[in-house]
Amino acid sequence: MTETLSPTPRSTLGRHAERGRSERSELHDVLDAGLVCHLGFVADGAPVVLPTAYGRDGDVLYLHGSSGARYLTGDEMPACVTVTHLDGIVHARAVFSFSMNYRSAVAHGVARRVTDSDEKLRGLRVIVEHLTPGAWDHARPPTRRELAATSVLALDLGEASVKVRSGPPADEDDDVASDAAWAGVVPVRTVFGTPEPAPDLRATRDVPSHVADRADRATG
Amino acid sequence: MTETLSPTPRSTLGRHAERGRSERSELHDVLDAGLVCHLGFVADGAPVVLPTAYGRDGDVLYLHGSSGARYLTGDEMPACVTVTHLDGIVHARAVFSFSMNYRSAVAHGVARRVTDSDEKLRGLRVIVEHLTPGAWDHARPPTRRELAATSVLALDLGEASVKVRSGPPADEDDDVASDAAWAGVVPVRTVFGTPEPAPDLRATRDVPSHVADRADRATG
């Protein structure tokens, strides 16, 4: 894939095109910082949007297909995957200029069902390690039966856009001069809390470092 | 609308149907606790998913239509609106049993462009007050020109589903007995930070209470 995102008609931004980012590394950053994506597809002519876990392996996105897979009758379907980080509520002097600070990535393409068992195992590992790095080697690996019961979808990141807004409100000069209202940003951040061991866990087991180290840190 | 959600085929849950909730009040709770929704629609036969601001007025969802509106050639389009809260990463003994704690609402229907100026003003107020309660009366109201430049979409909440997972991991008995790995939940929460006044704000203005009171509180 190229280093820059080459827009197609549907990955060309409409409103606020100045918020677009064109580097592939920026697409990767937004995707890597997320925990849940929203998978969109078409069922009986109508759109469906479902949240699901995902992970990135180079320029392939792997999705945990439990939710979407029941709609997937063949081996592939047109899909759109969106990852959004809300970074702040932007209070302007004028209601019209209220906004949000955010980072979002939108990937368009054809999601395919992963059927090869090696790729499925790799995709599942990518998804689990994305959700919680270090977990794959710590936990019991899937059996052949469990792997067969799992759906993994893959989406190439060939057609995608990234949009970022940051910084203070952008009021009209008249509104700034009039000093009509408070203006500024209320930051929003998503953080991990203190791990809560399962009630049936043996008390002698410490929280492993790959879990404990996340406490009180931002998710991305 | 009825007090309970009456499932249609597409609002009937597939996998993990036991996580479904059937009270309309639970749908409202999940929607009211969110800040950003993901709007799905179909453009040229392919799905598109875009993040946007929204608000609820009874059983009507109003969406800020800046993103989706350029795709809306007529006055309505089939849409799906999803709001997801990630509440925790669920670590199981077995990779296969890893999960997430979450609350999600999925609404299906036909989004219509709001053309009546009274309803548009009301919808916009609902959206702004949802994002930041108290802001509408504090900031300068929209002019007629600004209102005309704003797109608002409305979606009736007649067909929706709610799904919630909470609590500890659900490992197989064998995995619990084997004590193969740490298991538990890493909570995830989204919080407001300390308000950051705009650089060009007059220094003498205090942060108003509807903004200041949110600091360090969970978003929902």
Side-chain angles (χ1 to χ4, degrees):
Chain A
M1 300 242 178
T2 56
E3 291 296 301
T4 52
L5 303 171
S6 308
T8 60
R10 65 181 173 180
S11 67
T12 298
L13 300 174
R15 228 177 93 100
H16 288 303
E18 79 285 358
R19 295 180 185 166
R21 300 296 173 94
S22 58
E23 298 297 315
R24 184 159 292 277
S25 62
E26 293 174 299
L27 172 67
H28 295 171
D29 287 349
V30 171
L31 294 173
D32 294 354
L35 290 169
V36 172
C37 71
H38 282 83
L39 164 67
F41 52 91
V42 181
D44 296 329
V48 179
V49 179
L50 298 176
T52 191
Y54 72 98
R56 183 179 68 83
D57 183 13
D59 278 301
V60 178
L61 216 56
Y62 287 107
L63 312 177
H64 192 246
S66 60
S67 326
R70 74 169 165 138
Y71 295 92
L72 181 51
T73 47
D75 277 339
E76 35 179 65
M77 64 178 180
C80 179
V81 174
T82 299
V83 172
T84 305
H85 309 277
L86 178 63
D87 293 325
I89 312 289
V90 182
H91 293 246
R93 282 86 169 175
V95 155
F96 183 72
S97 300
F98 267 63
S99 189
M100 292 191 273
N101 283 339
Y102 63 92
R103 292 160 286 152
S104 69
V106 179
H108 306 268
V110 174
R112 65 182 162 83
R113 188 198 298 272
V114 176
T115 50
D116 177 82
S117 60
D118 286 345
E119 188 186 7
K120 194 194 265 192
L121 193 65
R122 193 170 69 245
L124 206 57
R125 184 189 176 110
V126 164
I127 294 167
V128 169
E129 283 290 299
H130 177 92
L131 207 56
T132 172
W136 186 269
D137 289 332
H138 179 78
R140 176 177 69 68
T143 63
R144 193 184 298 185
R145 182 186 58 79
E146 288 172 341
L147 202 58
T150 305
S151 293
V152 176
L153 303 179
L155 179 72
D156 284 341
L157 293 173
E159 189 177 358
S161 61
V162 179
K163 217 166 164 182
V164 176
R165 192 208 187 279
S166 60
D171 272 303
E172 301 291 333
D173 292 344
D174 285 356
D175 287 313
V176 174
S178 78
D179 192 37
W182 185 82
V185 175
V186 176
V188 174
R189 61 181 195 284
T190 302
V191 295
F192 294 108
T194 305
E196 301 166 351
D200 53 4
L201 192 71
R202 300 203 182 165
T204 52
R205 181 182 284 279
D206 286 338
V207 180
S209 60
H210 73 277
V211 176
D213 291 353
R214 299 185 111 176
D216 302 324
R217 291 174 62 176
T219 61
Chain B
M1 301 240 180
T2 56
E3 290 296 300
T4 52
L5 304 170
S6 308
T8 59
R10 63 182 175 180
S11 67
T12 298
L13 300 174
R15 230 176 90 103
H16 288 303
E18 80 284 359
R19 296 180 185 166
R21 301 295 173 95
S22 59
E23 297 298 316
R24 185 159 291 278
S25 63
E26 295 175 299
L27 172 67
H28 294 173
D29 287 347
V30 171
L31 294 173
D32 294 354
L35 291 168
V36 172
C37 71
H38 281 82
L39 164 66
F41 52 91
V42 181
D44 296 330
V48 179
V49 179
L50 297 176
T52 192
Y54 70 98
R56 183 179 68 83
D57 183 13
D59 278 301
V60 177
L61 216 55
Y62 287 106
L63 312 176
H64 192 245
S66 60
S67 325
R70 74 168 164 139
Y71 295 91
L72 182 51
T73 47
D75 277 338
E76 36 178 63
M77 65 178 178
C80 179
V81 174
T82 300
V83 172
T84 305
H85 308 278
L86 179 62
D87 293 325
I89 312 288
V90 182
H91 292 246
R93 282 86 170 175
V95 155
F96 183 73
S97 299
F98 267 63
S99 189
M100 292 191 274
N101 282 340
Y102 63 93
R103 292 160 288 152
S104 68
V106 179
H108 307 268
V110 174
R112 65 181 164 83
R113 188 197 299 272
V114 176
T115 50
D116 177 82
S117 61
D118 287 344
E119 188 187 6
K120 194 194 265 194
L121 193 65
R122 194 170 69 244
L124 206 56
R125 184 187 176 111
V126 165
I127 294 167
V128 169
E129 283 291 299
H130 177 93
L131 207 57
T132 173
W136 186 269
D137 288 333
H138 180 78
R140 177 177 69 68
T143 63
R144 193 186 296 187
R145 184 187 56 79
E146 288 172 341
L147 202 58
T150 306
S151 292
V152 175
L153 303 179
L155 179 72
D156 282 342
L157 292 173
E159 190 179 357
S161 60
V162 180
K163 216 166 163 181
V164 177
R165 192 208 186 278
S166 60
D171 273 302
E172 301 291 330
D173 292 345
D174 285 357
D175 286 314
V176 174
S178 77
D179 192 37
W182 184 82
V185 174
V186 176
V188 174
R189 62 183 195 282
T190 302
V191 294
F192 294 108
T194 304
E196 301 166 351
D200 53 4
L201 192 72
R202 300 204 181 164
T204 51
R205 182 181 282 280
D206 286 337
V207 179
S209 61
H210 73 277
V211 177
D213 291 351
R214 296 186 112 176
D216 303 323
R217 289 175 61 176
T219 61

